[in-house]
Amino acid sequence: MEASLKSTPHSVKRWQLNGTDFALQRVSKLRSETRFSSWTPLNNKQHNLQLFEERVNLVLHWFDLWTDMQRKHLLHSLLTRCTKYQLKYCRDLLIETVPVTRVDLTAVLPRFLSLYIMSYLSPLDLSRAAQVSWTWRVLAEQDCLWEGRCIRRGWFLPYTPGEKEFGAWKNHYVTCVATLDLLTPREATELYGTLNQNPTEEEEERKKERGIRQKIRYKLQQERSEATRTRRAWGSHAKPEGASAEGTVSGVTFSSWPSLSWPPRMVGSSLSLDKRQSINATQSPGRDQTSSVCSERAHKARGTLSSFIHRPALSHTPSPRHHTSSALLMLISNRIPAYELVLSGVKPGVIVVLYDHRGTLSALLTQVERVTSGQPVQRLGLLAPGGTEEINLLHGIGLSERTLLTPDHRAFWEKVCGLVAATQEGGGIDIFCSLAASASGMGLIRTLSTLTGLEVRAPAGLATGSFQNILSEWSGDDVHTRLWYQEQASPALQYVCDSVLQGWCRQAQWMEEALEELRSSLQPQLQQASLQARGRALGYFLWEEICLDKLLVSKELSEALTEGLTALTIQEEIRPLEFLSNFLTRWSKKKEGEESDRETKKAEEDLSLAHLSLHTSLSPMPELPQTALDWRGAVARELHHSECLYLGRLNAIMKVYQKPLTAALNSNRAILSFIDIQIIFSPVTAIQHLNRVFEADLQTRLQQWGAEQCIGDVFVKFCSKLRVYTNYLNNYITALCTTDKCREAKPAFRAFLKMADRTLATHMLSLQELLLCPVWRIQEYATLLQALRLHTHSGHPDFTHLCSALNTMLQFMQFIQKLKRNSEQDKLIEETQRMIRGCPSLSEGNRQLVTTQDVVLLRSPDEQIPEPLRIYEQVSDVGLFLFNDALVLTRRNVHHTPFTLSQQSTHTFLASVALPSLTVKEIIHSRYVRHAFVLEGPHRSWVCATEQGEERQHFLSVLRSAINSALMGHQ
């Protein structure tokens, strides 16, 4: 191009060479190809297009040099020469470039319509509207809006406003509101005489009764607090002789556990009871009938409560069904597998908070406070992913004994537990992770209990399987607690129904695989559809059927109608109107009777409680037959039982799959080749042989089980041969890929799997699920080893071997987690590569996808305006894909499927920026833009905004941490 420019004169210079030899030659050459103009070739399209582009560039160059007036004159001249079709095209282009959004209604609507809209606003809203602009202030302070409000309250102007006076009625309204006279109770008494009245004898008696009831409640609370201080230690189902103040569990002593002694006998209740009886005996004659009724009911109550005298736990163990704050609060992380099933089985009276695992502690605290509205709850349940030593409360925020005392965790738990009832009233924390199976987990429980002052319970981890340890023994289970929870074997059943919880514990992993793909594809549509359906149904029912805008009733009438309609649906009466009238009549009489009997019932309850405390304090405490629980033996038996089940699944792989495939190969009717069979089943054979020896050693030790029996050396021997499991895990992905490839390519193998999968011989599992059993078994080994070490004191000969085996198993679990993370990241990178069109290769080095975020790309028409006053317009939808070393921006397009409500998003590659060269700046909220931020690269910047503030806060925090990590790695 440069050579051609040098060899031939510029187009502008060519036009200035008229009369020269060059011009004569050019004219003679193009004379036969032109018409009307020697510089517009019509027959040669290439020369025509080239000359048109040169002229357009020249005009644009001149346009850039002209003034604003000259440009407007040119545009006017061009538009007057255009046809209607061309003018429509210009109009559409202008609307697309400069969209008309956020129009001021006062500038578009007539004045009387603007005033009519503002007439529906309250005085406070009108004052706020006056701060928008001068136009809004003039409208919001019109006398027609404020005159009626003042006259309805009897506030009249003391003068006639002038013709040009502005805002007189508003100023008068503000003055009257600011000078309202409020009477104190003493001033109201002086005017109306309602405070200093002579009290009657009945009121004096009521005051005396209230004082006596307060004394009884105070003494009962003291006795209960003394009883709860002597709670039995966890796991001690027996009361050994010579038990000291410290709780001992299978040789391990915890000095922080309370004493095992029974509570001291209650004294002082008889004094309160005698005073109460003496006062009842000296009542006025007008209340003899009421006192006789009270005495009869109290006698019946004493006869009923006397049957519970032989249950010592009733005197000091609080019942969760008898507290004022009966609601339970349950926090569920969305990282829990198949959490939808848990939500479906939550019991009535349980407040559920499903929180985002990617959030922060402050966001979780705000969500809890908003749900509870400051009201106390009975107990707090936490269902989050975790193990035996820590809880993965949030992404990157683990709760362990080491991190609990950090300022963030400490402030969070102190504020959250401030909403839970005290321990004396049955309050506490239930953690659905097997923390009680390890020493560090028990340390976390003790530290959390000391920090919050509440009882903390967690599963002991004595059951194997997917989340089945939740249904096992808990750290708060003892003989006395089970007297109250005979129908509930686990504290978790206070929150979730038994059938739902058991099904979820056994099948959570399988259901998560089915729900994961469903969530990713349908979650946005389901959320939007559910909100729209609920809103439309409720709105139609209230406004079309009930006519709520015309129905003005009191609160009592609405409650009565609600109860009557509920009873009508249960009874299924033939005459509904007659039934409803009779129900409302009975309801009104019942309300009148309740008000008169309220004081009497309170007196009866206090008298019953006093009698119960007196009886329990004077009656002897019978000793319950108790036996000590061998915790090490229970763990060992569970280990052997689960090992037999595990071997059964390994045998199913060999018997149902390997043997028939090998037999078909030997009979020249091969379903799979020899190499494929070796790849899939050869590592399983080595694992089966190793675990058979391990199970035989365990059975030999259990046959001779005793207090000093050791099984740690068996585990050490097993851990020394974990190379077999290492080979299996390294070959696991290859085996799955081989299985899938053969299933797709070989119809005979596909038919074989269809016949063999999920039968009784395979324990209702498929081949892929059976191949996953060794991975699950490693986790079970670690949990059982932690429980064994916890219940083995340091002087036991088996303690050293257990510690060594546990350390080896934990290191092997870390190796499994690393393989799992690598596999997930590779899969995520592949899915992202397929999702983004025109994207360069993402599989480079150790690149990992951190998070994604959908935002809106904004643009300001004038960058010279200050930021608080700058207006932004939406350009397009953008997707942000954050990797550990770069940020990829894509143009996001949403396509709706015809005749359905579903939609699909497609991404087109837009740009990519390396994190070390990327800077982030937040944009302050204004009336024109919210939740916006600026991404500045080395050559370009983007202004983006999210729909919600929480999304922006989360994405920017993750982005800043990724940038810092990239800078540190770059250095």
Side-chain angles (χ1 to χ4, degrees):
M1 185 66 181
E2 295 178 357
S4 62
L5 289 175
K6 292 180 181 179
S7 60
T8 60
H10 194 268
S11 60
V12 178
K13 295 181 179 180
R14 276 183 279 172
W15 296 336
Q16 298 174 355
L17 295 177
N18 290 331
T20 61
D21 297 337
F22 176 79
L24 293 175
Q25 295 175 4
R26 184 68 177 176
V27 169
S28 60
K29 183 178 180 180
L30 299 176
R31 185 180 300 270
S32 61
E33 300 177 358
T34 61
R35 183 183 182 185
F36 297 117
S37 175
S38 60
W39 300 106
T40 307
L42 299 178
N43 298 331
N44 194 335
K45 293 183 179 181
Q46 182 177 0
H47 290 292
N48 190 356
L49 180 60
Q50 181 180 359
L51 189 59
F52 173 76
E53 291 178 355
E54 291 176 356
R55 289 177 177 177
V56 168
N57 293 332
L58 181 61
V59 172
L60 292 178
H61 176 70
W62 289 340
F63 188 85
D64 295 336
L65 299 177
W66 289 340
T67 62
D68 183 72
M69 182 176 294
Q70 292 173 341
R71 293 181 182 182
K72 291 179 180 178
H73 181 69
L74 175 63
L75 292 175
H76 178 73
S77 302
L78 291 176
L79 292 176
T80 54
R81 293 174 178 267
C82 294
T83 62
K84 290 185 178 181
Y85 177 77
Q86 293 167 350
L87 290 175
K88 289 181 180 179
Y89 172 77
C90 294
R91 181 196 61 187
D92 297 338
L93 183 61
L94 287 174
I95 292 176
E96 181 180 0
T97 308
V98 188
V100 181
T101 57
R102 299 180 182 177
V103 179
D104 187 0
L105 62 94
T106 60
V108 178
L109 297 178
R111 183 185 180 89
F112 74 94
L113 287 180
S114 301
L115 291 174
Y116 180 77
I117 293 173
M118 289 189 175
S119 65
Y120 287 96
L121 299 179
S122 63
L124 182 60
D125 294 332
L126 283 174
S127 301
R128 292 173 178 171
Q131 301 176 3
V132 175
S133 62
W134 284 104
T135 307
W136 283 57
R137 181 178 179 181
V138 171
L139 292 175
E141 293 182 359
Q142 291 295 319
D143 292 338
C144 62
L145 299 177
W146 296 93
E147 183 178 0
R149 289 179 168 85
C150 293
I151 293 175
R152 282 196 298 269
R153 292 168 174 81
W155 302 337
F156 297 93
L157 276 176
Y159 66 96
T160 302
E163 295 180 358
K164 297 183 179 180
E165 188 174 358
F166 176 73
W169 283 99
K170 179 186 177 182
N171 296 332
H172 184 60
Y173 183 94
V174 173
T175 304
C176 293
V177 170
T179 58
L180 282 178
D181 293 331
L182 300 177
L183 295 178
T184 62
R186 185 66 60 183
E187 294 173 349
T189 303
E190 293 176 359
L191 289 176
Y192 306 105
T194 58
L195 185 63
N196 297 323
Q197 295 180 352
N198 295 327
T200 61
E201 296 180 357
E202 185 176 357
E203 292 179 354
E204 291 180 355
E205 292 176 358
R206 289 181 179 177
K207 289 181 181 179
K208 292 180 181 179
E209 290 178 1
R210 292 192 192 100
I212 293 173
R213 281 197 295 269
Q214 289 179 359
K215 292 180 180 180
I216 293 175
R217 292 194 188 99
Y218 177 72
K219 292 184 178 180
L220 287 175
Q221 288 178 359
Q222 286 183 342
E223 294 163 357
R224 290 176 180 174
S225 62
E226 292 176 358
T228 53
R229 291 194 197 101
T230 57
R231 181 180 294 275
R232 295 172 58 82
W234 160 70
S236 57
H237 292 277
K239 181 180 178 182
E241 298 180 358
S244 60
E246 299 178 357
T248 306
V249 182
S250 301
V252 183
T253 304
F254 304 111
S255 59
S256 61
W257 291 111
S259 173
L260 294 176
S261 59
W262 291 96
R265 298 191 176 185
M266 303 178 190
V267 293
S269 300
S270 59
L271 298 177
S272 302
L273 185 61
D274 293 340
K275 291 180 181 179
R276 181 64 178 273
Q277 290 176 352
S278 63
I279 291 175
N280 290 335
T282 59
Q283 287 179 346
S284 61
R287 300 185 64 189
D288 290 341
Q289 185 176 1
T290 306
S291 62
S292 62
V293 173
C294 293
S295 61
E296 290 178 2
R297 294 181 179 177
H299 180 71
K300 292 180 181 179
R302 286 195 295 269
T304 305
L305 291 173
S306 62
S307 60
F308 293 93
I309 295 298
H310 297 288
R311 297 188 180 183
L314 293 177
S315 61
H316 62 281
T317 304
S319 171
R321 292 171 291 186
H322 290 76
H323 297 301
T324 57
S325 58
S326 59
L328 302 176
L329 177 63
M330 187 176 184
L331 307 180
I332 301 178
S333 173
N334 62 352
R335 286 294 300 273
I336 289 295
Y339 61 85
E340 294 87 351
L341 182 61
V342 181
L343 293 177
S344 66
V346 173
K347 291 185 175 181
V350 179
I351 303 173
V352 180
V353 176
L354 179 64
Y355 66 91
D356 191 356
H357 188 75
R358 305 174 301 170
T360 58
L361 289 175
S362 59
L364 178 57
L365 178 61
T366 304
Q367 191 174 0
V368 172
E369 291 176 347
R370 184 172 63 249
V371 170
T372 57
S373 301
Q375 299 295 328
V377 295
Q378 183 65 30
R379 297 191 70 87
L380 172 65
L382 176 61
L383 180 57
T388 57
E389 296 183 351
E390 68 173 359
I391 306 169
N392 298 327
L393 189 61
L394 295 168
H395 179 69
I397 302 177
L399 178 62
S400 61
E401 186 180 6
R402 178 177 53 85
T403 61
L404 177 60
L405 298 180
T406 56
D408 294 339
H409 278 284
R410 187 185 186 94
F412 171 77
W413 284 104
E414 286 178 351
K415 293 178 181 179
V416 168
C417 293
L419 303 173
V420 184
T423 307
Q424 294 81 0
E425 300 176 359
I429 304 174
D430 299 322
I431 301 176
F432 290 65
C433 293
S434 54
L435 297 177
S438 64
S440 57
M442 291 300 300
L444 173 59
I445 292 175
R446 290 194 294 269
T447 307
L448 185 59
S449 178
T450 305
L451 176 64
T452 60
L454 299 174
E455 178 194 12
V456 181
R457 299 186 297 185
L462 299 185
T464 55
S466 176
F467 297 98
Q468 294 190 36
N469 50 18
I470 295 177
L471 301 175
S472 66
E473 299 285 339
W474 281 55
S475 59
D477 288 349
D478 54 14
V479 176
H480 312 296
T481 306
R482 287 193 175 184
L483 288 175
W484 286 104
Y485 300 108
Q486 290 180 357
E487 72 279 2
Q488 297 181 357
S490 173
L493 298 179
Q494 301 177 42
Y495 302 88
V496 188
C497 297
D498 187 5
S499 58
V500 176
L501 184 61
Q502 289 187 3
W504 176 77
C505 289
R506 294 190 180 96
Q507 304 177 18
Q509 294 291 351
W510 293 284
M511 288 185 292
E512 174 64 15
E513 296 178 0
L515 289 172
E516 185 176 0
E517 187 173 349
L518 185 63
R519 271 195 223 107
S520 60
S521 58
L522 296 180
Q523 187 173 12
Q525 290 81 4
L526 289 176
Q527 289 179 353
Q528 186 177 4
S530 63
L531 290 175
Q532 292 177 355
R534 283 182 289 176
R536 290 175 181 175
L538 183 60
Y540 177 82
F541 180 76
L542 292 178
W543 297 101
E544 299 293 336
E545 299 294 334
I546 299 183
C547 297
L548 192 60
D549 55 340
K550 302 179 181 179
L551 185 62
L552 299 175
V553 298
S554 61
K555 183 178 180 181
E556 294 182 356
L557 181 57
S558 62
E559 292 179 357
L561 289 174
T562 303
E563 294 182 5
L565 293 175
T566 304
L568 182 62
T569 55
I570 297 174
Q571 296 293 334
E572 297 181 357
E573 291 289 334
I574 302 176
R575 300 176 179 178
L577 295 179
E578 182 179 356
F579 174 80
L580 188 58
S581 63
N582 295 333
F583 178 83
L584 293 177
T585 304
R586 293 194 303 270
W587 189 86
S588 62
K589 294 180 180 179
K590 180 180 178 182
K591 283 294 182 181
E592 293 176 358
E594 286 181 356
E595 293 179 358
S596 60
D597 296 341
R598 190 170 298 167
E599 294 292 333
T600 306
K601 289 183 179 180
K602 289 183 179 179
E604 293 175 5
E605 292 176 359
D606 295 336
L607 185 63
S608 303
L609 290 174
H611 180 75
L612 173 62
S613 61
L614 178 63
H615 251 287
T616 53
S617 62
L618 297 178
S619 59
M621 298 290 184
E623 292 290 339
L624 295 176
Q626 301 172 350
T627 58
L629 178 62
D630 182 12
W631 289 95
R632 295 187 73 250
V635 177
R637 286 188 291 272
E638 174 63 27
L639 174 63
H640 181 262
H641 175 69
S642 58
E643 187 68 22
C644 293
L645 295 178
Y646 174 56
L647 278 176
R649 294 177 180 178
L650 294 180
N651 293 333
I653 297 176
M654 310 308 296
K655 181 179 179 181
V656 179
Y657 296 97
Q658 187 191 27
K659 288 185 178 179
L661 292 174
T662 306
L665 180 64
N666 296 333
S667 60
N668 294 327
R669 296 180 179 179
I671 300 176
L672 289 182
S673 63
F674 177 77
I675 298 177
D676 293 336
I677 295 175
Q678 289 296 113
I679 291 175
I680 299 174
F681 300 105
S682 178
V684 182
T685 306
I687 290 179
Q688 183 187 23
H689 177 70
L690 175 62
N691 282 86
R692 281 179 179 175
V693 178
F694 180 63
E695 187 272 335
D697 294 339
L698 286 177
Q699 186 176 7
T700 303
R701 299 298 174 89
L702 282 177
Q703 290 176 354
Q704 303 175 358
W705 185 256
E708 299 298 325
Q709 183 62 271
C710 298
I711 58 175
D713 54 342
V714 178
F715 261 110
V716 171
K717 177 183 176 182
F718 176 76
C719 292
S720 64
K721 300 179 181 179
L722 283 179
R723 186 185 298 272
V724 176
Y725 277 86
T726 304
N727 297 334
Y728 176 81
L729 293 173
N730 291 330
N731 185 68
Y732 174 67
I733 299 177
T734 306
L736 285 183
C737 294
T738 303
T739 304
D740 297 337
K741 181 184 66 176
C742 295
R743 185 179 181 277
E744 295 296 330
K746 300 180 180 180
F749 184 61
R750 189 184 311 124
F752 174 77
L753 290 180
K754 187 176 181 180
M755 179 183 62
D757 283 348
R758 293 183 175 87
T759 59
L760 292 177
T762 61
H763 304 272
M764 303 305 296
L765 301 175
S766 64
L767 176 59
Q768 290 81 0
E769 294 167 348
L770 288 172
L771 293 176
L772 193 57
C773 289
V775 181
W776 296 340
R777 187 56 180 167
I778 295 296
Q779 173 66 40
E780 295 174 355
Y781 283 148
T783 303
L784 294 172
L785 276 173
Q786 287 175 338
L788 274 173
R789 193 185 68 170
L790 175 64
H791 301 295
T792 304
H793 59 84
S794 57
H796 197 279
D798 201 22
F799 185 79
T800 304
H801 293 296
L802 289 176
C803 293
S804 176
L806 179 59
N807 294 333
T808 306
M809 202 62 67
L810 292 177
Q811 293 176 2
F812 200 78
M813 282 182 57
Q814 294 178 0
F815 169 69
I816 295 177
Q817 293 298 327
K818 182 179 179 181
L819 292 178
K820 183 178 179 181
R821 286 194 300 268
N822 295 338
S823 176
E824 291 176 352
Q825 290 295 334
D826 295 341
K827 181 180 178 181
L828 199 57
I829 291 292
E830 293 177 1
E831 293 177 354
T832 308
Q833 184 76 52
R834 291 194 299 266
M835 186 188 306
I836 305 175
R837 300 176 181 175
C839 181
S841 178
L842 298 176
S843 301
E844 296 180 1
N846 296 324
R847 179 172 294 167
Q848 298 177 358
L849 180 63
V850 180
T851 185
T852 61
Q853 181 63 50
D854 293 337
V855 298
V856 176
L857 187 63
L858 305 178
R859 183 179 61 187
S860 177
D862 192 351
E863 299 291 341
Q864 297 179 357
I865 301 176
E867 284 192 358
L869 303 177
R870 189 176 299 172
I871 301 175
Y872 293 90
E873 58 184 11
Q874 180 177 343
V875 178
S876 62
D877 295 331
V878 176
L880 301 179
F881 292 82
L882 178 60
F883 297 88
N884 59 343
D885 59 345
L887 177 66
V888 176
L889 291 85
T890 62
R891 187 179 301 275
R892 181 169 56 90
N893 298 321
V894 180
H895 305 281
H896 291 79
T897 306
F899 305 105
T900 62
L901 296 176
S902 61
Q903 60 185 17
Q904 184 180 6
S905 299
T906 59
H907 295 265
T908 305
F909 179 77
L910 190 62
S912 63
V913 184
L915 292 185
S917 60
L918 181 66
T919 57
V920 185
K921 182 179 69 174
E922 297 186 21
I923 298 179
I924 302 175
H925 292 332
S926 65
R927 66 183 64 177
Y928 306 109
V929 65
R930 297 182 63 84
H931 317 313
F933 55 93
V934 181
L935 299 175
E936 296 183 353
H939 304 291
R940 188 180 174 186
S941 63
W942 298 269
V943 180
C944 306
T946 60
E947 293 185 0
Q948 299 179 0
E950 294 82 359
E951 295 179 353
R952 185 187 76 159
Q953 182 180 2
H954 168 69
F955 179 75
L956 291 184
S957 61
V958 175
L959 178 59
R960 289 192 178 101
S961 61
I963 291 174
N964 295 333
S965 301
L967 289 174
M968 293 177 60
H970 209 58
Q971 294 176 357

